[in-house]
Amino acid sequence: MKIRKRFLPRCVQDGVATLFMIGIIPVTFWFEVSVVIPGIHGTNSGWNWIHLVPALFLLYNISTNMLATILCDTSCGTEVISVPPDVAVASGQGSRSWHLCSTCEAVAPPRSWHCNACRTCVLKRDHHCVFTGCCIGHKNHRYFIMFVFHLFVATLYSSALNNYFIWYIHGEEFRNWTSFIKMVFPLAMLVIDASTKQYYLVIYLINMIGMLFTGVLLIYHGRLILSGSVVHEQNGRDFDLGRMENLRMVLGERWHLAWLSPFVRSDLPHNGVDWDRVQREAAKSK
């Protein structure tokens, strides 16, 4: 994996969103492991250690996949690009054919788009992610989808524990109209009520929203991946090689092991440049 030379967020909204993710991940982990799980099973219960194993696995995969997404250079500069002699180069950006990027002053292959935030053309550009401050493209798509997948599992796991902890273990304290009002305006209520209970409700609400948000993201991007498309191509299937082959295009040859760790080697079957061949193969399979 080639490391990006400039991996810090380049705009304010990217920086704020990325810092929020960097902060909320360890805070949620600490809350679940130190407060919720001992609160459910007791301080000296062996169940605390049983819960710790999947919690550490999820923390590891969320953190490392997020870091890999940020650091992985997926720009057109990572490949030696030579235009086929029988191909005409079009002008403009966002073309599905070979085109000249006026900003980079270079020829970009099909499915590559220029990102104004990242200031470069990205191979098989899917979208720009504010929570990582970078574009998701051909070479870091695997890390991004695994980041979202493990984040969804973690928020689902945390939300299940939090619901039991707040509404059953401490139901007498939280089952009232005041708690519901605080959940509607959690940050504003922190100014008025900075008690421990209010912090519990804030983390609870963040986990619930995170579970719904990542669940929608996982379904949306999962459908695109299985159809061989990216965000800009969601209405077409010009590069659809079948679900299993489409999955390998993103997760690599060892796709069935990619969820274990971003350090598991899983080579991509395509260089992100020669999409004309893939398009012809997709047309034959229809």
Side-chain angles (χ1 to χ4, degrees):
M1 180 178 73
K2 186 176 180 181
I3 306 297
R4 290 172 62 202
K5 294 180 180 178
R6 298 179 179 178
F7 53 83
L8 295 177
R10 298 193 177 192
C11 59
V12 175
Q13 61 181 12
D14 284 4
V16 171
T18 304
L19 284 175
F20 172 77
M21 290 302 301
I22 293 174
I24 197 61
I25 290 170
V27 167
T28 303
F29 175 80
W30 170 85
F31 177 67
E32 302 301 329
V33 171
S34 302
V35 178
V36 176
I37 295 175
I40 294 174
H41 298 290
T43 306
N44 299 319
S45 174
W47 282 101
N48 297 342
W49 295 99
I50 295 174
H51 280 289
L52 186 62
V53 174
L56 287 172
F57 174 78
L58 290 169
L59 176 65
Y60 162 76
N61 268 289
I62 290 170
S63 304
T64 53
N65 276 293
M66 180 181 178
L67 185 63
T69 302
I70 295 172
L71 294 180
C72 181
D73 190 350
T74 188
S75 67
C76 291
T78 58
E79 294 288 335
V80 177
I81 298 175
S82 57
V83 184
D86 58 338
V87 171
V89 177
S91 60
Q93 299 174 0
S95 174
R96 291 192 182 185
S97 60
W98 291 85
H99 56 281
L100 177 65
C101 176
S102 58
T103 306
C104 294
E105 296 182 345
V107 176
R111 311 186 80 187
S112 298
W113 282 269
H114 185 86
C115 177
N116 293 325
C118 295
R119 302 174 191 175
T120 187
C121 283
V122 177
L123 288 173
K124 202 191 76 172
R125 182 175 183 266
D126 188 75
H127 70 285
H128 184 87
C129 177
V130 296
F131 292 103
T132 57
C134 66
C135 270
I136 308 304
H138 181 65
K139 295 188 176 181
N140 66 350
H141 205 168
R142 163 197 171 178
Y143 306 122
F144 167 76
I145 199 66
M146 287 295 102
F147 167 60
V148 174
F149 169 75
H150 286 100
L151 199 57
F152 170 70
V153 175
T155 51
L156 179 64
Y157 187 17
S158 298
S159 296
L161 292 173
N162 292 345
N163 273 293
Y164 187 80
F165 176 76
I166 287 178
W167 305 120
Y168 289 93
I169 301 297
H170 296 279
E172 294 181 359
E173 302 174 47
F174 289 99
R175 282 203 298 264
N176 51 62
W177 286 106
T178 306
S179 295
F180 288 105
I181 294 173
K182 289 179 178 180
M183 287 175 62
V184 177
F185 307 102
L187 297 180
M189 290 304 295
L190 278 176
V191 179
I192 303 173
D193 179 15
S195 65
T196 303
K197 288 172 56 178
Q198 183 61 17
Y199 283 103
Y200 287 1
L201 288 175
V202 170
I203 298 176
Y204 166 80
L205 192 60
I206 289 173
N207 270 280
M208 291 294 291
I209 295 173
M211 178 188 67
L212 296 174
F213 181 66
T214 54
V216 171
L217 276 181
L218 193 60
I219 293 172
Y220 176 71
H221 286 286
R223 292 179 64 182
L224 288 177
I225 290 171
L226 292 177
S227 65
S229 305
V230 292
V231 171
H232 298 283
E233 305 165 345
Q234 55 185 316
N235 295 323
R237 293 195 172 190
D238 292 343
F239 305 95
D240 186 3
L241 298 176
R243 290 193 170 189
M244 294 309 300
E245 191 60 33
N246 294 338
L247 196 62
R248 276 193 284 269
M249 281 286 188
V250 174
L251 300 184
E253 297 291 352
R254 303 175 71 192
W255 59 270
H256 54 289
L257 298 176
W259 65 276
L260 290 172
S261 169
F263 295 104
V264 172
R265 182 170 179 175
S266 184
D267 297 329
L268 296 173
H270 195 271
N271 60 5
V273 176
D274 184 20
W275 293 107
D276 296 330
R277 176 182 58 81
V278 175
Q279 193 171 17
R280 288 193 297 268
E281 291 178 6
K284 290 179 182 178
S285 62
K286 291 179 181 178

